[in-house]
Amino acid sequence: MGSTLACIQWKAERDTCCGRDFILSPESGTGWMRCRSFASGLDLTLADFCPRRRANLPLHLDGPVVGVSFYLSGSVRCRFPGSEKTIAIRGGEAGAFRLAPQKGEGEAEPCRTSLVELRFSAALLAHLGGHVRTFFMAGEEGVRVWPLSPEGALIARDLLVCPYSGVARELFFEAKALELLAYVFSRVEGTVSDDFFAMRAARDRLVREMADPPDLKELAREAGFSRSCFAERFRELYGMPPFAYLREQRMETARMLLISGKANVTEAAFTVGYASLSHFARAFRERFGVSPSSL
């Protein structure tokens, strides 16, 4: 498998308090990889790259590894000694793995590959119990592949588009990695609400598109609810109706724009979706007790 293909090469870019960042060598293609280790016993690998051509990926396992991978795009094939089976993981799939120390080989296609991988330390594994331990530790070693759920993809995608830098970025990575781990464990145990991530996606879209938000009917349809059920579930999760939540987010965003000096009153109003300055000023005074021009 792929023995005559060029080996993909990574170059160290920077060290951080929790790990190291890499970039793909120009001869191999474009992209990056980030590796982190956290005190919780969780190792995180993020990668987003595109090889120039089909390329080998050396797979050297210095010790036993247990974890789970999430592929948002791309295609990677792996093979390990003693196994005739080639493991293929493609975009839209996840895989739980338990492997002994060994040297294997992988092959990446010349397309954009985006992935998130979590590995569990021995200390973390020692604390696993019940269905979670059975799921990861029982049966034969190897890799089990299944379709990646929209909920899992949502969290994994957040990790690949971190908006922070410095220490804040490292905290973000750890928090999101733990959220992804909690999601995996909760799915194994059957304890996560099926509608939670659909509602969160609707909320995120409402905030992201606050300048021109979708209507309640569209949000409800995307989340798989009737309008009335969507509004009721939204209130249960976030403490207020959808458009009261939107109004609160608009006001907070406008206040931060004004305080930071990144926008004047007119710009802040238009950014958060107010076409009328008088309506914006009235809503702002009702929320904060002062006029926006006083900030």
Side-chain angles (χ1 to χ4, degrees), residues 10 20-24 31-38 43-49 68-72 113-119 155-163 169-170 172-174 176-178 180:
W10 294 97
R20 176 173 284 188
D21 292 345
F22 301 86
I23 57 173
L24 198 61
W32 52 263
M33 177 171 64
R34 300 186 176 108
C35 301
R36 298 292 187 271
S37 295
F38 304 116
D43 290 341
L44 169 69
T45 298
L46 309 172
D48 190 350
F49 63 96
V68 60
S69 297
F70 305 83
Y71 279 74
L72 297 171
T113 297
S114 302
L115 67 95
V116 175
E117 181 177 287
L118 302 176
R119 293 189 180 186
I155 307 174
R157 193 171 293 110
D158 283 348
L159 275 159
L160 292 170
V161 292
C162 173
R169 183 170 73 160
E170 304 308 313
F172 177 87
F173 284 154
E174 183 169 16
K176 278 293 176 181
L178 288 170
L180 189 55

Side-chain angles (χ1 to χ4, degrees), residues 231-248:
E232 180 180 355
R233 184 66 175 130
F234 194 100
R235 183 194 290 269
E236 290 175 358
L237 287 172
Y238 302 111
M240 60 186 74
F243 287 96
Y245 185 91
L246 173 63
R247 184 167 57 251
E248 181 72 11

Side-chain angles (χ1 to χ4, degrees), residues 151 154-156 158 176 179 195-206 208 223 230 234 237-238:
E151 299 85 359
L154 183 65
I155 307 174
D158 283 348
K176 278 293 176 181
E179 181 185 358
D195 64 13
F196 173 79
F197 287 95
M199 295 301 299
R200 193 176 76 169
R203 180 207 63 182
D204 289 349
R205 183 184 176 193
L206 194 62
R208 186 173 61 251
F230 175 83
F234 194 100
L237 287 172
Y238 302 111

Side-chain angles (χ1 to χ4, degrees), residues 170-281:
E170 304 308 313
L171 292 172
F172 177 87
F173 284 154
E174 183 169 16
K176 278 293 176 181
L178 288 170
E179 181 185 358
L180 189 55
L181 182 66
Y183 171 73
V184 171
F185 286 1
S186 65
R187 294 297 291 187
V188 172
E189 295 175 331
T191 57
V192 69
S193 168
D194 290 336
D195 64 13
F196 173 79
F197 287 95
M199 295 301 299
R200 193 176 76 169
R203 180 207 63 182
D204 289 349
R205 183 184 176 193
L206 194 62
V207 174
R208 186 173 61 251
E209 300 177 16
M210 64 172 62
D212 185 22
D215 60 27
L216 187 61
K217 181 179 179 180
E218 183 175 352
L219 287 172
R221 178 181 55 78
E222 287 187 356
F225 290 90
S226 67
R227 289 177 57 179
S228 59
C229 288
F230 175 83
E232 180 180 355
R233 184 66 175 130
F234 194 100
R235 183 194 290 269
E236 290 175 358
L237 287 172
Y238 302 111
M240 60 186 74
F243 287 96
Y245 185 91
L246 173 63
R247 184 167 57 251
E248 181 72 11
Q249 294 300 311
R250 279 174 160 172
M251 291 297 100
E252 287 293 341
T253 299
R255 185 173 72 91
M256 293 305 299
L257 287 171
L258 293 170
I259 289 175
S260 66
K262 294 181 178 179
N264 59 34
V265 174
T266 300
E267 292 168 339
F270 289 164
T271 296
V272 300
Y274 281 83
S276 167
L277 289 181
S278 61
H279 290 169
F280 171 71

Side-chain angles (χ1 to χ4, degrees), residues 48-68:
D48 190 350
F49 63 96
C50 182
R52 291 191 182 279
R53 58 188 67 85
R54 276 197 307 147
N56 276 340
L57 294 168
L59 302 173
H60 296 170
L61 306 181
D62 297 327
V65 295
V66 179
V68 60

Side-chain angles (χ1 to χ4, degrees), residues 140-159:
E140 297 181 355
E141 292 181 344
V143 180
R144 286 170 291 166
V145 179
W146 67 90
L148 176 58
S149 69
E151 299 85 359
L154 183 65
I155 307 174
R157 193 171 293 110
D158 283 348
L159 275 159

Side-chain angles (χ1 to χ4, degrees), residues 87-107:
I87 302 163
I89 307 182
R90 302 175 180 84
E93 294 180 336
F97 53 85
R98 181 165 62 94
L99 299 165
Q102 58 189 298
K103 291 184 178 181
E105 57 179 354
E107 186 178 295

